[in-house]
Amino acid sequence: MTTSSRPIERGAPRVQSTGPIAWSQKHLFNSVFNSILTVVLVGIIGYALVNMLVWAFTQAPWAVVTENFAQFMAGLYPSTSFWRLWAIFGIVLTLAGLSWGILARNQKQLFTVPVLVGFGVAALLLLVLPMTRPYLLYSLGGLALLAVGAVGGQRIGHQAPGAGKLISGGWFLSYFVVLYLLGGDTFTDSLLYGVVFQIGLGLLAGWQLSSRLTIPVVTQWLGRLALLAIGFVLGYYVLGNILYPVLVGIGLSYPLFLWLMRLVGVLIGVALIWTFSGQQTLEGVGKAALFFIGFALVYGLMGWLPTQLGLEFGLTTVRTNSWGGLILTLFLAISGIALCFPAGVLLALGRRSKLPLIRAFSVAYIELVRGVPLIAILFMGQVLIPLFLPEGMRPDSVVRAIIGLTIFSAAYLAENVRAGLQSVPQGQTEAGQSLGLNKPLTTVLIVLPQALKTAIPAIVGQFISLFQDTTLLGIVGLLELLGMTRNLLASPKYLGDYAPAYVFIGAIYWIFCYGMSYGSRRVEEALNTDLR
Amino acid sequence: MTQSDVAAPMTPRNDVGAEAVIVAKDVNKWYDNGFHVLKGVSMNVYKGEVVVVMGPSGSGKSTFIRTFNALEPYQEGSIEIDGVLIANDLKDIEAVRREVGMVFQQFNLFPHLTVLQNVTLAPIWVRRWPKAKAEEIAMRLLDRVGIAEQAYKFPGQMSGGQQQRVAIARSLAMQPKVMLFDEPTSALDPEMVREVLDVMRNLAKDGMTMVCVTHEVGFAREVADRVVLMDGGVLVEENTPDKFFSNPKEERSKAFLSQIL
């Protein structure tokens, strides 16, 4: 490198002229060619814009949107039950407000100028647009809930440091409240209810019970009890059933036989306790028994509760074939996102696992699913599964759609997460191990948080494409936003009114997708711990 | 069967009567590509001792001390840490890692956690200490390495020297019996080497058993009880620092010292 031949300029730095005129001189008109380019492009854009505005305000047949606004939002949902949708709207906005307030708890001013402008624009649109006018009370009430929730959230966030966890729990619970509000009482006998509330909560209860209750004496005695029970079942029921023909055949009386088998059962139990007398083994068996007890209790309870109480909640059933419009789109997308995220993370971890079986399964799953177009998976779910399964066992069409979306997105998400996992340096794992953390703890506490942080843009990109992919379900017959639109446009009354309808739903899709990507950027900023 | 029944009579002692904490016998290691990186290395480290391992790059010295907490597996020979044999048993390996602290060349702090969280993570999750106790001890350790006032910063906001001192505090928080230092000052700017070496000096003064891979001759002279030279996967010379630096036994040591002194 040569030393600078130019003398170093001393003195005041050159004055930077600011303002729109100076800016445009510097960026738009800095040469003759660029000036011409600017003029031509502004002309083209302006022409298109003017034409669009003229079309939008004078020619477009907006009737298709204004007259069917309720269908766009809620499909064929019975209008007598609309209050349930408004309740959902209120719950979601309140939670959103609370979350926002808690996240922004350290900001001095919650309602900054851009936020106020946003609120103002939203309120103005609700007031001005003809289709929202019938629902002004509810929709403006929703905005108010958002604002009140934000103020409340900020207060709570200041006083309770654990508020973040609480609000996550709130979101989790709200999903099921929403599900119940949407579907009414059918929800309690649906497959989803069985999986989530009976099996899911059962597993949770079993796990908590077995991991929290760790008094050695208790678990050991429970272990002995469990072994005794197993032995008794083996002796009395299994052996008894096998030996019954033989022993009664040689002339043993039935009561005597029963007592004999009971004795045999107890003896086998005692023998089992004798064989597995190691303290650790007994504790293990005791914990397994605790797990089973917790699971069985909750499984039974959750199965019993709805039949006892559920029908008295009194919400009429709304079958999923009347769900539709934006509500269904959001429900499909949120369910898909909530399910594919954990599945994707597990698959990504599985693909890096040292256990060959798990790795092979993950690789096979990911590569298989990535080789099939989504529409094929959705068709399979909507058309083929009903052919294979008998009437009573067919899952609901919305459930099938969610499963299809989840299966597909999980594979792509797994690859995104894997890229994130690979970006975490080996030294992080080594540091964790050198501190005595075991493999699972190292993964959960050290590797995954960093991997997910790097993968946020890719993950949110996948979420956005999942949201957009829900439109494919319109093709396979669900009446989500696009399906509903196609349905409406098929009626002779709106023949040919494609443009306004598609512009309208296009705007809706854009709002949600942009919202997600904006949110992801904010989360990234919040998680950035370098050189703040 | 308790540990002391088996291990106690076997545990070697040095001439001042301290028990060996690390007993490595005839350790052989091959990399996956077949390269023979450790060729029958034996070494004992006794309680309260500071051993400095030196050697040219590629001599296997880092690999050797990384076998002490099973970050690197070895194929032949045996390594016992405080009477526990490092073999394939995962439980044993985790037990050993709890008792052996390690400080890395690249610090390897967890960037997504604050300094305090870095230090308390393992005590809370591995030792199962209550958070309050872990934080109290962590603050005391951070004070000892001189960065208590930065406890709520993230590692990315600190200088290299500060990060390395946090890494030392993080290892100490597990109250290890031995500390391994794998070139702790090699990635630091020269003006930060001193602050890290000072912390290590104080540690040695407090009687911590330490094995350090380092090129800091001054540190080795002043602090080490023994200096060990490795080359080509073999332990070339084991000597007191005075003799090692002034009058080494082996020709290879002389050649090495002429390179670095």
Side-chain angles (χ1 to χ4, degrees), chain A residues 51-83:
Chain A
N51 271 359
M52 222 167 81
L53 287 175
V54 167
W55 171 82
F57 283 104
T58 60
Q59 296 160 357
W62 288 110
V64 63
V65 175
T66 50
E67 287 171 12
N68 300 297
F69 185 64
Q71 273 98 314
F72 276 110
M73 293 297 115
L76 306 175
Y77 207 83
S79 55
T80 47
S81 297
F82 269 5
W83 67 269

Side-chain angles (χ1 to χ4, degrees), chain B residues 13-257:
Chain B
R13 287 168 185 272
N14 65 359
D15 22 323
V16 283
E19 283 182 23
V21 187
I22 301 175
V23 181
K25 271 190 206 137
D26 218 9
V27 177
N28 275 285
K29 178 184 169 65
W30 287 264
Y31 282 142
D32 287 341
N33 60 13
F35 180 69
H36 195 174
V37 52
L38 296 178
K39 298 171 183 162
V41 189
S42 299
M43 184 170 99
N44 291 353
V45 178
Y46 300 93
K47 203 165 184 186
E49 217 185 10
V50 177
V51 177
V52 166
V53 183
M54 300 188 115
S57 68
S59 59
K61 54 191 191 306
S62 278
T63 311
F64 185 47
I65 75 160
R66 280 160 62 90
T67 57
F68 294 169
N69 65 353
L71 284 183
E72 298 278 354
Y74 60 95
Q75 281 81 32
E76 282 174 16
S78 72
I79 297 175
E80 280 181 28
I81 309 288
D82 207 29
V84 182
L85 178 74
I86 299 179
N88 292 323
D89 189 295
L90 203 63
K91 277 243 166 75
D92 281 354
I93 287 179
E94 275 163 14
V96 163
R97 283 173 177 163
R98 283 198 287 275
E99 308 303 332
V100 179
M102 181 145 200
V103 175
F104 299 86
Q105 184 178 359
Q106 299 294 341
F107 333 134
N108 294 350
L109 291 180
F110 308 131
H112 61 299
L113 301 176
T114 61
V115 165
L116 187 63
Q117 286 169 331
N118 262 283
V119 180
T120 56
L121 185 83
I124 288 174
W125 288 91
V126 180
R127 293 260 189 250
R128 295 274 165 194
W129 290 351
K131 198 176 167 199
K133 180 187 174 192
E135 287 189 343
E136 193 200 318
I137 292 175
M139 286 311 287
R140 225 180 295 154
L141 285 169
L142 287 173
D143 194 40
R144 193 166 151 196
V145 300
I147 19 186
E149 69 279 7
Q150 319 225 35
Y152 297 97
K153 277 194 181 171
F154 285 94
Q157 299 162 283
M158 309 177 86
S159 74
Q162 290 172 326
Q163 289 194 43
Q164 193 60 296
R165 287 186 281 155
V166 173
I168 293 173
R170 179 177 71 175
S171 288
L172 288 176
M174 286 294 286
Q175 302 180 335
K177 297 196 172 114
V178 194
M179 286 281 283
L180 309 175
F181 291 85
D182 187 2
E183 306 202 23
T185 53
S186 301
L188 294 175
D189 290 338
E191 68 266 33
M192 289 165 186
V193 170
R194 200 192 150 78
E195 59 188 60
V196 172
L197 288 181
D198 281 344
V199 169
M200 289 169 64
R201 244 176 233 127
N202 286 333
L203 256 184
K205 237 179 258 164
D206 294 347
M208 174 61 78
T209 314
M210 292 160 61
V211 183
C212 316
V213 172
T214 182
H215 298 298
E216 298 293 334
V217 175
F219 176 79
R221 268 211 177 113
E222 185 190 336
V223 179
D225 295 301
R226 263 189 300 153
V227 177
V228 162
L229 182 83
M230 281 187 74
D231 187 29
V234 182
L235 211 149
V236 177
E237 176 167 352
E238 207 174 331
N239 214 334
T240 61
D242 286 348
K243 284 181 190 159
F244 180 80
F245 289 112
S246 54
N247 186 21
K249 286 185 277 193
E250 307 285 333
E251 278 307 309
R252 182 69 194 85
S253 308
K254 280 176 195 156
F256 175 72
L257 286 173

